[in-house]
Amino acid sequence: MRRRLSKKRTREQEIYTPYFKIIIIGESRIGKTQLLHRLNGEQFQEKYFPTFGLDFRIKSITLDNQQSCDLQLIDISGEKNKIYETIENDLVKSANAFICVFDISDEYSVIKAVEIKEEYNKLINGTYKLWYLIGTKKDKDIKDNKIPSQYKGLFDKYYEVSSKTSKSTEFDKILEDIVKDLNQANREYRFINEDNVDNEPFELDFEKAHGNVFDEQCEIF
């Protein structure tokens, strides 16, 4: 008994929902939690509630091509805590993308975001990740807003938003851009790793591997 299987066909016919893990990082009190809420479709909260350890949301989005995708959005507290250090390190290593957040009115906050990026890069030891820089509180009246120009080149993309006044469509657009980038990176990764795979059909001899079960005698109890 022989069965012909095609590796190429089974991969092309595979249907699945992509799942990506995105971590939001940055200095304390710059709006990471508010950004997390708005990215998840929630309303702006006037009161400030600091994040202790971790906060996360699960969000499903559908792209223009009707492809669905599940996202885990994780807000890591800006205050270092040894209790959560091991969990944080594991999350960083397994993340697909990072959103570095800073306050556009505070130059120190963007410097801190870059420092955290460098720290995490050492932790993931050169593993390819996507990095995004988001400036928050763009509703503030700032006359000379040139802070991002020298830093945004260190990231894949740069955005400016206001968790208080920006429309929900702006946050949806950011997530859609990130998912498209992740899907593209995932396709390129699979292409590289499958480049040396033989896509020709191959034969699997079940009789040789497992014996011919029809030749065996069985007793019914």
Side-chain angles (χ1 to χ4, degrees), residues 108-189:
Y108 174 78
S109 68
V110 69
I111 295 174
K112 186 64 178 179
V114 174
E115 289 178 353
I116 296 174
K117 177 179 183 291
E118 293 175 352
E119 178 184 340
Y120 281 6
N121 266 329
K122 294 177 182 178
L123 186 61
I124 62 180
N125 195 26
T127 304
Y128 179 73
K129 309 285 184 180
L130 291 176
W131 293 87
Y132 299 87
L133 182 64
I134 296 184
T136 62
K137 306 180 182 179
K138 76 170 185 178
D139 53 295
K140 290 186 175 181
D141 185 17
I142 303 174
K143 295 181 180 180
D144 187 17
N145 182 16
K146 296 183 180 180
I147 295 176
S149 59
Q150 55 183 316
Y151 300 106
K152 62 182 181 181
L154 302 174
F155 297 82
D156 292 285
K157 287 182 180 177
Y158 170 71
Y159 303 91
E160 278 186 11
V161 295
S162 167
S163 296
K164 184 176 183 179
T165 61
S166 292
K167 297 180 179 179
S168 298
T169 52
E170 294 184 53
F171 299 97
D172 292 340
K173 178 65 166 57
I174 292 174
L175 285 183
E176 288 175 6
D177 285 351
I178 293 176
V179 169
K180 289 177 182 178
D181 292 344
L182 287 169
N183 280 331
Q184 179 62 30
N186 190 38
R187 284 193 293 268
E188 292 175 356
Y189 173 81

Side-chain angles (χ1 to χ4, degrees), residues 20-24 71-75 95-99 175 178-179 182:
F20 298 117
K21 188 182 297 181
I22 302 174
I23 293 182
I24 302 173
L71 301 177
Q72 184 177 12
L73 304 170
I74 305 170
D75 171 20
N96 302 103
F98 296 89
I99 295 177
L175 285 183
I178 293 176
V179 169
L182 287 169

Side-chain angles (χ1 to χ4, degrees), residues 41-59:
E42 302 171 35
Q43 297 298 318
F44 175 78
Q45 299 179 3
E46 292 290 346
K47 293 184 178 180
Y48 171 74
F49 297 97
T51 300
F52 296 98
L54 306 169
D55 189 11
F56 69 93
R57 300 288 191 279
I58 302 295
K59 182 179 179 67

